[in-house]
Amino acid sequence: MTILVTGGAGFIGSNFIHYMMEKYPDYKIVCIDKLTYAGNLRNLETVLDKKNFRFIKGDICDRELVYRIFEEEKPDVVINFAAESHVDRSIESPDIFLKTNILGTQVLLDASRKYNVKRFHQVSTDEVYGDLPLDRSDLKFTESSPLRPSSPYSASKASADLLVLAYHRTYGVPVTISRCSNNYGPYQFPEKLIPLMIINALNDRPLPVYGDGRNVRDWIHVKDHCEAIDIIIHRGKEGEIYNIGGENERANIDVVRMILRELGKPESLIRFVKDRPGHDRRYALDISRMKKEFGWSPKISFEEGLKSTIKWYLENRSWWEEIINGEYMNYYERMYGERLKE
Ligand code: NAD
Ligand code: TYD
């Protein structure tokens, strides 16, 4: 079996490659990644010279290159992780989100159709459903909830989902889609909440919490997400959508406090800053389809997962120091400079 993984040098894609190479030593994994600011070959350094792994630096929007890879590798399964993935960046400049997340997905779908892949899996997000009110804990999104994305990022992901479903209906491309909640774990780029807070706390810098800090996210350890995708590509039904969640809703401020406690740092580092425009209040997923059809549920508790993630960042300082000493600081200044002055 040959699996083409797009965006495999990013956070979830690289975790997925490690997970699969360990579990299925007979599979060949081919990875295409543009190596944007979020892609990092260090995430893959332990597999780069394995015989059953091939890395290609390239853009999923590059039709010629993508077709050539399909021609050469004849993948059985394609898993599309490649995306621009950060909401704040999508608010700043939406264009690249539409290009990569929608048009890039279309190129991959065309190639999957042309070369008759057995499965095209789209890695999507719970953010396509929009948000839920804080005071209605009884409400959760199911796979048939309407799409009501709030940000350019989530709108681009929702558009891609619709395209994937249209290619199934019109051309019979054998697709599946998974919509996952907020991931955390090793190799997450420090623009996202959990690694950003861990690193700022370690450097005794202020922790910028948007708005009142009461926004709620459902956190899942990346390894649980990888396991669920593995199940869906092997056993999921064509044309179906699967919600993957952690059943672990937390207010941002509580997550930040847990990190400070774990690191032995004072809460005085917390700074409430100007809110994100259009900030989704709460995400929550109903994952009963994954439970019923496959007996899957998340295994890693948040307490245990957060502890091991913090340990990873402590033990892999050079990984994130290299990032924060590069272009990242310009981003940080743009995003937080004014906010932290107010
Ligand atoms: P990430 O930003 O860490 O990684 C994205 C990867 O895609 C990077 O390696 C980047 O170089 C690559 N990439 C970007 N544009 C590309 C292009 N045009 N061609 C080829 N490669 C390109 O993102 P992530 O957090 O690992 O997310 C992976 C996928 O999972 C995304 O599709 C995202 O929408 C989805 N998702 C993420 C989360 C989360 O909490 N992080 C939750 C649900 C779904
Ligand atoms: P993030 O990790 O960007 O993921 P998403 O927006 O996709 O959910 O943010 C998670 C939550 O944390 C979200 O409610 C925004 C909030 N947040 C902050 O309060 N401060 C920050 O510096 C960042 C990056 C996020």
Side-chain angles (χ1 to χ4, degrees):
M1 164 106 106
T2 298
I3 302 185
L4 177 67
V5 172
T6 72
F11 163 48
I12 307 175
S14 61
N15 275 281
F16 183 75
I17 288 173
H18 291 300
Y19 175 92
M20 293 298 278
M21 296 213 37
E22 199 167 300
K23 183 158 173 199
Y24 304 101
D26 297 342
Y27 287 11
K28 177 167 186 193
I29 308 270
V30 178
C31 169
I32 172 175
D33 194 298
K34 188 178 170 185
L35 297 180
T36 66
Y37 78 91
N40 186 347
L41 270 186
R42 279 190 73 176
N43 301 0
L44 295 172
E45 66 191 357
T46 56
V47 296
L48 276 179
D49 53 8
K50 292 240 156 83
K51 274 208 286 300
N52 58 340
F53 181 74
R54 178 180 174 199
F55 180 82
I56 300 143
K57 179 177 184 311
D59 190 330
I60 57 166
C61 301
D62 181 346
R63 192 174 285 272
E64 217 181 283
L65 172 70
V66 168
Y67 282 17
R68 197 165 72 235
I69 296 171
F70 275 67
E71 187 85 51
E72 284 172 16
E73 297 291 348
K74 307 198 166 35
D76 301 287
V77 175
V78 176
I79 309 179
N80 184 25
F81 291 93
E84 289 293 331
S85 68
H86 192 42
V87 173
D88 293 324
R89 287 185 195 255
S90 83
I91 295 168
E92 207 183 36
S93 26
D95 287 30
I96 186 69
F97 284 74
L98 273 59
K99 273 199 198 100
T100 289
N101 299 2
I102 308 172
L103 299 178
T105 300
Q106 189 217 349
V107 170
L108 294 169
L109 284 164
D110 283 337
S112 298
R113 180 179 169 220
K114 182 170 157 76
Y115 293 95
N116 291 314
V117 303
K118 296 192 189 82
R119 177 62 61 80
F120 176 91
H121 182 74
Q122 175 72 359
V123 180
S124 186
T125 164
D126 60 355
E127 302 191 26
V128 297
Y129 299 121
D131 64 354
L132 291 164
L134 282 182
D135 58 358
R136 289 292 307 273
S137 58
D138 56 316
L139 295 180
K140 288 185 196 309
F141 293 122
T142 70
E143 287 82 354
S144 51
S145 297
L147 301 183
R148 274 195 322 115
S150 313
S151 70
Y153 162 69
S154 50
S156 71
K157 293 296 288 185
S159 307
D161 283 12
L162 294 176
L163 207 54
V164 169
L165 294 172
Y167 269 62
H168 175 64
R169 168 92 189 240
T170 303
Y171 305 116
V173 177
V175 306
T176 40
I177 296 175
S178 52
R179 294 181 177 148
C180 191
S181 62
N182 284 61
N183 283 224
Y184 68 97
Y187 302 114
Q188 187 167 31
F189 194 84
E191 65 192 350
K192 304 280 171 33
L193 180 78
I194 289 182
L196 187 134
M197 297 300 166
I198 295 173
I199 290 170
N200 279 20
L202 284 172
N203 287 332
D204 298 309
R205 297 168 68 103
L207 307 193
V209 173
Y210 297 165
D212 59 8
R214 303 305 324 163
N215 298 61
V216 168
R217 296 293 181 267
D218 167 20
W219 293 98
I220 182 171
H221 192 277
V222 63
K223 200 164 178 191
D224 279 324
H225 184 188
C226 293
E227 185 188 65
I229 294 176
D230 173 18
I231 291 172
I232 296 166
I233 60 167
H234 287 100
R235 295 163 59 199
K237 282 200 219 85
E238 280 177 26
E240 289 297 328
I241 298 166
Y242 298 92
N243 282 349
I244 304 171
E247 296 195 315
N248 172 48
E249 289 179 49
R250 309 260 169 174
N252 293 337
I253 187 68
D254 297 333
V255 173
V256 170
R257 288 202 176 107
M258 274 176 83
I259 292 170
L260 287 171
R261 253 198 321 277
E262 190 57 34
L263 288 171
K265 297 283 183 177
E267 292 199 0
S268 55
L269 284 176
I270 295 174
R271 292 276 287 278
F272 290 96
V273 300
K274 188 160 155 239
D275 209 353
R276 169 189 282 174
H279 196 175
D280 281 335
R281 253 325 199 177
R282 170 175 164 251
Y283 301 141
L285 283 179
D286 177 335
I287 57 166
S288 41
R289 172 172 288 173
M290 283 298 292
K291 285 183 173 170
K292 260 193 234 126
E293 288 186 25
F294 311 122
W296 177 88
S297 55
K299 295 193 179 76
I300 302 173
S301 75
F302 192 57
E303 286 70 18
E304 169 198 353
L306 189 63
K307 242 188 203 154
S308 66
T309 301
I310 289 174
K311 187 160 174 273
W312 188 87
Y313 281 88
L314 281 167
E315 286 170 355
N316 291 273
R317 264 183 179 272
S318 76
W319 181 89
W320 54 264
E321 274 172 354
E322 207 168 89
I323 294 170
I324 66 170
N325 291 330
E327 175 56 26
Y328 176 81
M329 268 336 268
N330 297 332
Y331 164 81
Y332 192 86
E333 189 47 40
R334 263 192 347 264
M335 202 56 73
Y336 297 99
E338 283 305 312
R339 272 181 164 141
L340 285 167
K341 260 188 233 141
E342 280 162 13

PDB file of all heavy atoms in Angstrom, residues 2 8 28 46 49 61 86 99 102 160 195 215 224 227 260 274 311-312:
ATOM      1  N   THR A   2       0.580   2.174  -0.890  1.00  0.00           N
ATOM      2  CA  THR A   2       1.307   3.451  -0.925  1.00  0.00           C
ATOM      3  C   THR A   2       0.342   4.565  -0.542  1.00  0.00           C
ATOM      4  O   THR A   2      -0.750   4.671  -1.091  1.00  0.00           O
ATOM      5  CB  THR A   2       1.882   3.720  -2.338  1.00  0.00           C
ATOM      6  OG1 THR A   2       2.802   2.676  -2.642  1.00  0.00           O
ATOM      7  CG2 THR A   2       2.598   5.056  -2.388  1.00  0.00           C
ATOM      8  N   GLY A   8       2.856  16.901   5.094  1.00  0.00           N
ATOM      9  CA  GLY A   8       3.409  15.994   6.123  1.00  0.00           C
ATOM     10  C   GLY A   8       4.564  16.564   6.916  1.00  0.00           C
ATOM     11  O   GLY A   8       5.043  15.910   7.858  1.00  0.00           O
ATOM     12  N   LYS A  28       4.377   2.144   2.009  1.00  0.00           N
ATOM     13  CA  LYS A  28       5.257   3.218   1.568  1.00  0.00           C
ATOM     14  C   LYS A  28       4.535   4.551   1.790  1.00  0.00           C
ATOM     15  O   LYS A  28       3.351   4.673   1.462  1.00  0.00           O
ATOM     16  CB  LYS A  28       5.597   3.057   0.081  1.00  0.00           C
ATOM     17  CG  LYS A  28       6.460   4.201  -0.405  1.00  0.00           C
ATOM     18  CD  LYS A  28       7.091   3.963  -1.745  1.00  0.00           C
ATOM     19  CE  LYS A  28       8.051   5.116  -2.048  1.00  0.00           C
ATOM     20  NZ  LYS A  28       8.477   5.123  -3.446  1.00  0.00           N
ATOM     21  N   THR A  46      13.784  11.817  11.487  1.00  0.00           N
ATOM     22  CA  THR A  46      14.058  10.405  11.810  1.00  0.00           C
ATOM     23  C   THR A  46      13.539   9.442  10.741  1.00  0.00           C
ATOM     24  O   THR A  46      13.865   8.254  10.774  1.00  0.00           O
ATOM     25  CB  THR A  46      13.444  10.003  13.174  1.00  0.00           C
ATOM     26  OG1 THR A  46      12.039  10.287  13.123  1.00  0.00           O
ATOM     27  CG2 THR A  46      14.084  10.758  14.330  1.00  0.00           C
ATOM     28  N   ASP A  49      15.525   9.225   5.718  1.00  0.00           N
ATOM     29  CA  ASP A  49      16.319   8.309   4.892  1.00  0.00           C
ATOM     30  C   ASP A  49      15.821   6.856   4.953  1.00  0.00           C
ATOM     31  O   ASP A  49      16.538   5.928   4.561  1.00  0.00           O
ATOM     32  CB  ASP A  49      17.817   8.419   5.236  1.00  0.00           C
ATOM     33  CG  ASP A  49      18.053   8.232   6.713  1.00  0.00           C
ATOM     34  OD1 ASP A  49      17.079   7.864   7.418  1.00  0.00           O
ATOM     35  OD2 ASP A  49      19.196   8.457   7.186  1.00  0.00           O
ATOM     36  N   CYS A  61      -0.796  23.000  -5.299  1.00  0.00           N
ATOM     37  CA  CYS A  61      -1.453  23.740  -6.390  1.00  0.00           C
ATOM     38  C   CYS A  61      -0.733  23.538  -7.720  1.00  0.00           C
ATOM     39  O   CYS A  61      -1.255  23.922  -8.765  1.00  0.00           O
ATOM     40  CB  CYS A  61      -1.492  25.241  -6.081  1.00  0.00           C
ATOM     41  SG  CYS A  61      -2.352  25.624  -4.556  1.00  0.00           S
ATOM     42  N   HIS A  86      -3.801  28.727  10.174  1.00  0.00           N
ATOM     43  CA  HIS A  86      -3.958  29.591  11.353  1.00  0.00           C
ATOM     44  C   HIS A  86      -4.973  30.720  11.134  1.00  0.00           C
ATOM     45  O   HIS A  86      -4.815  31.557  10.241  1.00  0.00           O
ATOM     46  CB  HIS A  86      -2.600  30.166  11.751  1.00  0.00           C
ATOM     47  CG  HIS A  86      -2.619  30.821  13.096  1.00  0.00           C
ATOM     48  ND1 HIS A  86      -3.274  30.281  14.188  1.00  0.00           N
ATOM     49  CD2 HIS A  86      -2.075  31.972  13.543  1.00  0.00           C
ATOM     50  CE1 HIS A  86      -3.131  31.080  15.237  1.00  0.00           C
ATOM     51  NE2 HIS A  86      -2.410  32.108  14.871  1.00  0.00           N
ATOM     52  N   LYS A  99      -6.258  29.862  -2.012  1.00  0.00           N
ATOM     53  CA  LYS A  99      -5.449  29.153  -3.023  1.00  0.00           C
ATOM     54  C   LYS A  99      -5.123  27.751  -2.559  1.00  0.00           C
ATOM     55  O   LYS A  99      -5.462  26.765  -3.210  1.00  0.00           O
ATOM     56  CB  LYS A  99      -4.142  29.915  -3.270  1.00  0.00           C
ATOM     57  CG  LYS A  99      -4.281  30.984  -4.305  1.00  0.00           C
ATOM     58  CD  LYS A  99      -2.905  31.383  -4.867  1.00  0.00           C
ATOM     59  CE  LYS A  99      -3.037  32.724  -5.549  1.00  0.00           C
ATOM     60  NZ  LYS A  99      -2.581  33.864  -4.740  1.00  0.00           N
ATOM     61  N   ILE A 102      -8.464  25.568  -1.038  1.00  0.00           N
ATOM     62  CA  ILE A 102      -9.534  25.205  -1.983  1.00  0.00           C
ATOM     63  C   ILE A 102      -8.943  24.711  -3.306  1.00  0.00           C
ATOM     64  O   ILE A 102      -9.160  23.558  -3.702  1.00  0.00           O
ATOM     65  CB  ILE A 102     -10.492  26.387  -2.241  1.00  0.00           C
ATOM     66  CG1 ILE A 102     -11.007  26.969  -0.913  1.00  0.00           C
ATOM     67  CG2 ILE A 102     -11.670  25.924  -3.104  1.00  0.00           C
ATOM     68  CD1 ILE A 102     -11.812  28.246  -1.059  1.00  0.00           C
ATOM     69  N   ALA A 160     -13.572  23.584   0.673  1.00  0.00           N
ATOM     70  CA  ALA A 160     -12.874  22.367   0.237  1.00  0.00           C
ATOM     71  C   ALA A 160     -13.737  21.132   0.521  1.00  0.00           C
ATOM     72  O   ALA A 160     -13.845  20.225  -0.317  1.00  0.00           O
ATOM     73  CB  ALA A 160     -11.529  22.256   0.946  1.00  0.00           C
ATOM     74  N   PRO A 195       1.293  25.726  22.380  1.00  0.00           N
ATOM     75  CA  PRO A 195       2.749  25.936  22.326  1.00  0.00           C
ATOM     76  C   PRO A 195       3.158  27.391  22.549  1.00  0.00           C
ATOM     77  O   PRO A 195       4.196  27.655  23.164  1.00  0.00           O
ATOM     78  CB  PRO A 195       3.147  25.466  20.923  1.00  0.00           C
ATOM     79  CG  PRO A 195       1.887  25.377  20.148  1.00  0.00           C
ATOM     80  CD  PRO A 195       0.776  25.166  21.118  1.00  0.00           C
ATOM     81  N   ASN A 215     -13.628  31.784  25.903  1.00  0.00           N
ATOM     82  CA  ASN A 215     -13.926  30.987  24.700  1.00  0.00           C
ATOM     83  C   ASN A 215     -13.530  29.536  24.956  1.00  0.00           C
ATOM     84  O   ASN A 215     -12.508  29.273  25.580  1.00  0.00           O
ATOM     85  CB  ASN A 215     -13.143  31.516  23.496  1.00  0.00           C
ATOM     86  CG  ASN A 215     -13.530  32.939  23.171  1.00  0.00           C
ATOM     87  OD1 ASN A 215     -13.357  33.817  24.014  1.00  0.00           O
ATOM     88  ND2 ASN A 215     -14.079  33.171  22.010  1.00  0.00           N
ATOM     89  N   ASP A 224      -4.401  10.769  19.174  1.00  0.00           N
ATOM     90  CA  ASP A 224      -5.769  10.255  19.064  1.00  0.00           C
ATOM     91  C   ASP A 224      -6.365  10.604  17.700  1.00  0.00           C
ATOM     92  O   ASP A 224      -7.093   9.807  17.102  1.00  0.00           O
ATOM     93  CB  ASP A 224      -6.649  10.834  20.187  1.00  0.00           C
ATOM     94  CG  ASP A 224      -6.473  10.074  21.511  1.00  0.00           C
ATOM     95  OD1 ASP A 224      -6.282   8.838  21.466  1.00  0.00           O
ATOM     96  OD2 ASP A 224      -6.517  10.709  22.571  1.00  0.00           O
ATOM     97  N   GLU A 227      -4.867   8.230  15.110  1.00  0.00           N
ATOM     98  CA  GLU A 227      -5.476   6.897  15.199  1.00  0.00           C
ATOM     99  C   GLU A 227      -6.850   6.884  14.501  1.00  0.00           C
ATOM    100  O   GLU A 227      -7.188   5.939  13.777  1.00  0.00           O
ATOM    101  CB  GLU A 227      -5.627   6.516  16.673  1.00  0.00           C
ATOM    102  CG  GLU A 227      -6.145   5.111  16.875  1.00  0.00           C
ATOM    103  CD  GLU A 227      -6.462   4.830  18.336  1.00  0.00           C
ATOM    104  OE1 GLU A 227      -7.391   5.468  18.886  1.00  0.00           O
ATOM    105  OE2 GLU A 227      -5.776   3.985  18.919  1.00  0.00           O
ATOM    106  N   LEU A 260       0.623  27.239  33.246  1.00  0.00           N
ATOM    107  CA  LEU A 260       1.430  27.989  34.218  1.00  0.00           C
ATOM    108  C   LEU A 260       1.694  27.156  35.471  1.00  0.00           C
ATOM    109  O   LEU A 260       2.812  27.132  35.996  1.00  0.00           O
ATOM    110  CB  LEU A 260       0.724  29.296  34.598  1.00  0.00           C
ATOM    111  CG  LEU A 260       0.729  30.381  33.511  1.00  0.00           C
ATOM    112  CD1 LEU A 260      -0.182  31.540  33.892  1.00  0.00           C
ATOM    113  CD2 LEU A 260       2.156  30.887  33.257  1.00  0.00           C
ATOM    114  N   LYS A 274      -6.736  42.527  23.218  1.00  0.00           N
ATOM    115  CA  LYS A 274      -7.826  42.768  22.266  1.00  0.00           C
ATOM    116  C   LYS A 274      -8.239  41.455  21.600  1.00  0.00           C
ATOM    117  O   LYS A 274      -7.393  40.663  21.189  1.00  0.00           O
ATOM    118  CB  LYS A 274      -7.334  43.762  21.218  1.00  0.00           C
ATOM    119  CG  LYS A 274      -8.386  44.247  20.290  1.00  0.00           C
ATOM    120  CD  LYS A 274      -7.922  45.562  19.625  1.00  0.00           C
ATOM    121  CE  LYS A 274      -8.639  45.686  18.316  1.00  0.00           C
ATOM    122  NZ  LYS A 274      -7.753  45.767  17.163  1.00  0.00           N
ATOM    123  N   LYS A 311       6.466  18.533  28.486  1.00  0.00           N
ATOM    124  CA  LYS A 311       7.757  17.850  28.606  1.00  0.00           C
ATOM    125  C   LYS A 311       8.473  17.859  27.250  1.00  0.00           C
ATOM    126  O   LYS A 311       9.673  18.103  27.162  1.00  0.00           O
ATOM    127  CB  LYS A 311       7.488  16.416  29.096  1.00  0.00           C
ATOM    128  CG  LYS A 311       8.710  15.629  29.424  1.00  0.00           C
ATOM    129  CD  LYS A 311       8.365  14.448  30.343  1.00  0.00           C
ATOM    130  CE  LYS A 311       9.547  13.548  30.568  1.00  0.00           C
ATOM    131  NZ  LYS A 311       9.704  12.506  29.551  1.00  0.00           N
ATOM    132  N   TRP A 312       7.710  17.630  26.185  1.00  0.00           N
ATOM    133  CA  TRP A 312       8.315  17.618  24.841  1.00  0.00           C
ATOM    134  C   TRP A 312       8.927  18.980  24.514  1.00  0.00           C
ATOM    135  O   TRP A 312      10.048  19.073  24.029  1.00  0.00           O
ATOM    136  CB  TRP A 312       7.275  17.227  23.781  1.00  0.00           C
ATOM    137  CG  TRP A 312       7.913  17.019  22.437  1.00  0.00           C
ATOM    138  CD1 TRP A 312       8.466  15.866  21.952  1.00  0.00           C
ATOM    139  CD2 TRP A 312       8.117  18.024  21.410  1.00  0.00           C
ATOM    140  NE1 TRP A 312       8.996  16.087  20.683  1.00  0.00           N
ATOM    141  CE2 TRP A 312       8.797  17.396  20.332  1.00  0.00           C
ATOM    142  CE3 TRP A 312       7.803  19.374  21.300  1.00  0.00           C
ATOM    143  CZ2 TRP A 312       9.154  18.070  19.153  1.00  0.00           C
ATOM    144  CZ3 TRP A 312       8.168  20.057  20.124  1.00  0.00           C
ATOM    145  CH2 TRP A 312       8.842  19.398  19.075  1.00  0.00           C
TER     146      TRP A 312
END
